[in-house]
Amino acid sequence: MLRKGSAGGTEAARAPGALSGGVPRPHREPTAAAALPAVLDSQYGTYVWPCAVVLAQYLWAHRQSLPGKRVLEIGAGVSLPGVVAARCGAQVILSDSEELPQCLQSCRSSCLMNRLPHVPVLGLTWGRVSPELLSLAPIDVILGSDVFFDPKDFEDILTTIYFLLEKNPHAQFWTTYQVRSADWSIEALLHKWNLKSSHVPLHSFGADKEHLASSSMPGRHTIEMMIISLAQSEGTSLYSTSDCSTR
């Protein structure tokens, strides 16, 4: 499970394990802590949303597979999933929109608070080809918590994911999202961009409860998780620069 508390003007997320250092005491479940900036205003990238807690729980449940993995978090904001991945030994890059400097600063603040000054923070805008996107090193896992927030962004997100997966055919996109409307769907876009998704039941990693991290998150929100990958690893590329802006 993932526990969450507050201390010293920060929000601290805790998971079973010894990420905070030291050897676990016998007969006691150890915890891992991630300190995050305390933000009261629920702006897009400056707030710990319930989906981030659920994705962090998934990362902790799969912590043994993370050391050495190359991980990119998109739309990271305060970066709880990325911080947990880094504390578990992954080689993490955090990113958020280059047009949202406050979100990029949130990423940097979270890195500093968790003694992760080596973690790069990049400005990557969904749907836009940029030098930073083109020069990204190979990656194994892409993370995104609650990035499917606004339907107008859905295709931009998936074009970026397709671009990254085409460059890294064996990579996967691990994403959690909150069900806000029964009318919202990405199925047609997944088909358009030659992507497939698989549902991950929350009970399979201990996240099927109203309280995680000693807080009310995810509460009674309907949170889902899926893993997105290429529908096929070979064949003709569907990507062209006309599908993504080069502004």
Side-chain angles (χ1 to χ4, degrees):
M1 81 187 209
L2 189 70
R3 287 196 291 259
K4 184 167 176 294
S6 178
T10 65
E11 291 184 342
R14 297 182 176 272
L19 297 189
S20 54
V23 178
R25 297 179 181 179
H27 311 300
R28 178 179 294 182
E29 184 182 47
T31 62
L36 303 173
V39 178
L40 300 179
D41 187 16
S42 57
Q43 300 296 317
Y44 276 173
T46 57
Y47 185 78
V48 183
W49 294 90
C51 287
V53 179
V54 173
L55 185 54
Q57 179 80 7
Y58 183 81
L59 289 161
W60 178 253
H62 293 82
R63 60 194 177 277
Q64 293 183 349
S65 70
L66 290 176
K69 281 286 194 297
R70 300 161 297 185
V71 174
L72 169 70
E73 183 175 5
I74 65 169
V78 294
S79 314
L80 174 59
V83 165
V84 170
R87 297 294 294 270
C88 288
Q91 301 171 24
V92 174
I93 297 173
L94 301 176
S95 73
D96 213 310
S97 172
E98 58 191 317
E99 299 174 349
L100 298 173
Q102 73 276 20
C103 294
L104 295 173
Q105 185 55 46
S106 291
C107 295
R108 297 185 186 99
S109 296
S110 292
C111 290
L112 293 175
M113 293 175 68
N114 288 279
R115 300 180 182 180
L116 298 169
H118 60 284
V119 172
V121 176
L122 300 179
L124 297 179
T125 301
W126 303 327
R128 179 178 299 177
V129 175
S130 64
E132 290 79 9
L133 182 67
L134 293 170
S135 62
L136 273 177
I139 53 178
D140 302 304
V141 176
I142 307 162
L143 302 176
S145 65
D146 215 7
V147 294
F148 294 108
F149 182 91
D150 190 334
K152 69 178 177 58
D153 294 326
F154 288 3
E155 184 154 25
D156 283 344
I157 294 166
L158 290 176
T159 57
T160 299
I161 294 302
Y162 176 78
F163 178 86
L164 292 167
L165 293 180
E166 187 190 40
K167 290 181 63 177
N168 304 272
H170 301 294
Q172 296 179 329
F173 178 35
W174 298 356
T175 183
T176 49
Y177 62 96
Q178 183 174 327
V179 179
R180 294 182 171 90
S181 171
D183 296 328
W184 294 0
S185 173
I186 63 169
E187 290 304 316
L189 292 172
L190 289 173
H191 179 75
K192 175 181 177 179
W193 288 99
N194 195 37
L195 299 170
K196 62 181 179 181
S197 67
S198 59
H199 179 255
V200 181
L202 267 58
H203 68 78
S204 68
F205 56 99
D208 57 334
K209 49 182 67 74
E210 291 188 11
H211 291 75
L212 288 175
S214 296
S215 79
S216 59
M217 291 192 291
R220 296 186 179 181
H221 302 294
T222 302
I223 308 297
E224 301 287 353
M225 177 168 179
M226 61 182 167
I227 294 176
I228 294 176
S229 58
L230 287 178
Q232 54 188 36
S233 298
E234 299 177 354
T236 303
S237 169
L238 297 180
Y239 180 82
S240 69
T241 54
S242 63
D243 293 309
C244 273
S245 169
T246 56
R247 296 190 300 271

